[in-house]
Amino acid sequence: MPFELPALPYDTKALAPHLSRETVIQRHSQTQRACVARLNQLVEGTPWANASLEAILLGAEGELARQAAQAWAFIFHWHSLSPQGGAPDDALGQAIAARWVDIAGLRQAIATAASDASPGGWVWLVRDAQGLEVMAGDVHDLPLSRGLTPLLVHHLTGGQDTDTAAGLDAFWALANWRFAAANFSGLSAPAAC
């Protein structure tokens, strides 16, 4: 069964002015769609043809694993953003304070990771056995492959947010803390495409 491009969890203009409608369409309807199309080409006629996205990204190798990881990261990316923004709930806020003193410390950790990461990569807020961490990776380096629980992700890309600081400002304005709290508490991640 071929993978499909999942619908966005909101309208294409819902993230404006932080992410323009044009940027959302470019990332979703062009970049992510191309990723899903390439993934379908790669799995066709292979033992992975009926596997889940997670099974492929954790078990396959090479370009197939890369495409599955990128497709999964895009799904997670869209759920990491919300037009409502917000703030961490008490449990997640306490974990942030235990690791970075406050949200400003987390912001600095993510900014540092973003400045060290390559364009097109991802900066993740993750949970491990000891608490929270920030990790940066390229398009196929996901927390799942390291045994970590992803909470939120920021995508480093060109376009309107080529400037790292502007991209981070948009991320902080749109960060979906309800989604992060659900991941932190162990509820399941968004459905795969």
Side-chain angles (χ1 to χ4, degrees):
M1 181 171 93
F3 293 102
E4 295 181 7
L5 178 69
L8 291 169
Y10 32 72
D11 187 84
T12 56
K13 60 184 174 226
L15 302 179
H18 308 290
L19 284 180
S20 71
R21 179 177 185 272
E22 293 76 21
T23 297
V24 172
I25 289 171
Q26 187 275 325
R27 291 185 193 173
H28 179 259
S29 299
Q30 296 172 13
T31 306
Q32 188 178 0
R33 181 181 304 279
C35 174
V36 171
R38 179 71 177 135
L39 176 63
N40 284 324
Q41 291 173 345
L42 293 169
V43 298
E44 188 175 346
T46 73
W48 298 105
N50 293 314
S52 71
L53 195 55
E54 290 83 359
I56 296 170
L57 70 89
L58 292 173
E61 296 179 351
E63 184 63 17
L64 178 56
R66 285 179 52 88
Q67 288 299 316
Q70 187 171 12
W72 191 93
F74 266 115
I75 295 168
F76 201 89
H77 164 69
W78 295 120
H79 288 273
S80 290
L81 304 175
S82 169
Q84 289 81 35
D89 70 0
D90 288 342
L92 182 52
Q94 290 171 8
I96 290 169
R99 177 66 176 89
W100 293 286
V101 180
D102 57 19
I103 197 78
L106 171 59
R107 286 179 73 122
Q108 182 56 51
I110 288 179
T112 299
S115 68
D116 294 340
S118 60
W122 307 89
V123 177
W124 300 86
L125 173 61
V126 300
R127 181 179 188 172
D128 63 15
Q130 288 73 45
L132 300 180
E133 290 295 332
V134 170
M135 70 169 264
D138 62 19
V139 294
H140 66 280
D141 187 13
L142 298 183
L144 296 177
S145 60
R146 297 184 188 190
L148 304 170
T149 302
L151 305 182
L152 285 177
V153 67
H154 171 55
H155 185 210
L156 303 167
T157 184
Q160 283 189 339
D161 60 348
T162 301
D163 175 23
T164 301
L168 285 170
D169 287 345
F171 170 74
W172 287 112
L174 299 168
N176 187 348
W177 290 107
R178 284 180 294 197
F179 177 67
N183 292 319
F184 180 74
S185 68
L187 299 178
S188 60
C193 61

